[in-house]
């Protein structure tokens, strides 16, 4: 059948041609779906038997056990790769859990500190801007967002708890001492910030 045949008057494809094209397209789609289903069924059956997908390791079975034993005895990765005629990456894969960087499990490693947003009283922020700070402390202060509070303001600072504690230590002189007289308003502001920092999880 000529799949390009058109009606002599309208110039449209013949209805029989349209039907054949749609039928062939549906048959192709059915074949593709059946292949996908059969592939998934095969993968599930293989997994049920204990088979694992993906590329097979270059060092496997008894050879891997020999490689691991030799590595424990002090053989270098380069020497083992030469002996077994495989890449160094294949040897590293076989002894991955024995490498120095894997001696401490990730579960035992402390979780990294996440930034916390705290409102710093404006009087504290004004004092810290004139104080010598560490780069991380200065960056946190510079990136703070001012929030108006009546006639004053607070500075919303987002930083990890360690930086907040460092900033709190920097404004210690606001409490007075060491020959300096404390301004009540500044002392009160520092105490407010101290209370907020103290509420953070150590």
């Amino acid at each position: 059948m000529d799949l390009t045949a058109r009606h002599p008057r309208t110039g449209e494809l013949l209805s029989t041609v349209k039907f054949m094209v749609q039928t062939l397209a549906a048959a192709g789609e059915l074949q593709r779906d059946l292949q996908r289903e059969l592939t998934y069924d095969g993968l599930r059956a293989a997994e049920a038997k204990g088979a694992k997908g993906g590329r097979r390791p270059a060092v496997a079975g008894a050879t891997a056990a020999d490689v691991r034993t030799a590595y424990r005895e002090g053989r270098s990765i380069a020497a083992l790769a030469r002996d077994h005629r495989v890449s160094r990456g294949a040897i590293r894969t076989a002894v991955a859990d024995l490498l120095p960087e894997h001696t401490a499990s990730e579960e035992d490693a402390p979780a990294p500190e996440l930034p916390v947003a705290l409102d710093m009283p404006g009087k504290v922020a004004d004092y810290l801007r004139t104080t010598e700070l560490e780069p991380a402390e200065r960056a946190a202060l510079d990136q703070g967002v001012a929030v108006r509070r009546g006639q004053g303001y607070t500075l919303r600072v987002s930083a990890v708890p360690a930086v907040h504690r460092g900033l709190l230590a920097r404004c210690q002189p606001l409490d007075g001492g060491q020959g300096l007289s404390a301004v009540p308003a500044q002392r009160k502001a520092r105490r407010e910030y101290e209370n907020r920092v103290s509420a953070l999880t150590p």
Side-chain angles (χ1 to χ4, degrees):
M1 177 180 287
D2 183 7
L3 298 181
T4 62
R6 297 179 179 273
H7 194 278
R9 290 191 177 182
T10 62
E12 296 179 353
L13 289 173
L14 295 177
S15 57
T16 53
V17 171
K18 290 181 181 179
F19 173 77
M20 286 301 300
V21 171
Q22 292 170 354
T23 302
L24 292 174
E29 186 176 356
L30 174 63
Q31 181 182 15
R32 183 189 60 191
D33 292 343
L34 287 174
Q35 288 176 340
R36 184 184 295 116
E37 291 174 3
L38 290 172
T39 300
Y40 290 154
D41 290 342
L43 290 173
R44 283 194 293 269
E47 290 175 357
K49 294 179 181 179
K52 295 182 179 180
R55 183 178 178 181
R56 293 183 178 179
V59 180
T63 304
D66 294 341
V67 167
R68 291 170 64 82
T69 301
Y71 183 77
R72 287 193 189 97
E73 294 173 352
R75 293 279 289 170
S76 68
I77 290 178
L80 289 170
R82 287 194 301 270
D83 293 346
H84 295 276
R85 296 182 180 180
V86 295
S87 67
R88 296 184 183 184
I91 299 297
R92 288 193 185 93
T93 301
V95 300
D97 59 321
L98 304 177
L99 295 174
E101 57 266 28
H102 293 281
T103 52
S105 63
E106 293 181 358
E107 292 79 5
D108 295 335
E113 287 189 320
L114 298 177
V116 179
L118 288 184
D119 285 347
M120 176 187 293
K123 294 185 183 302
V124 174
D126 292 342
Y127 173 79
L128 289 174
R129 286 195 177 98
T130 63
T131 305
E132 185 177 350
L133 303 175
E134 294 292 334
E137 298 169 347
R138 177 64 64 186
L141 196 68
D142 291 343
Q143 294 170 8
V145 178
V147 180
R148 290 294 168 187
R149 304 286 185 189
Q151 295 181 348
Y153 77 99
T154 61
L155 189 69
R156 187 156 296 161
V157 178
S158 294
V160 296
V163 171
H164 281 298
R165 288 189 284 269
L167 290 170
L168 177 63
R170 302 286 182 184
C171 61
Q172 180 67 37
L174 293 180
D175 268 353
Q178 298 180 353
L180 299 175
S181 59
V183 178
Q186 291 180 332
R187 176 186 293 176
K188 180 180 178 183
R190 185 195 175 279
R191 296 284 172 81
E192 290 178 2
Y193 184 51
E194 182 178 16
N195 291 337
R196 292 167 188 168
V197 174
S198 299
L200 296 175
T201 303

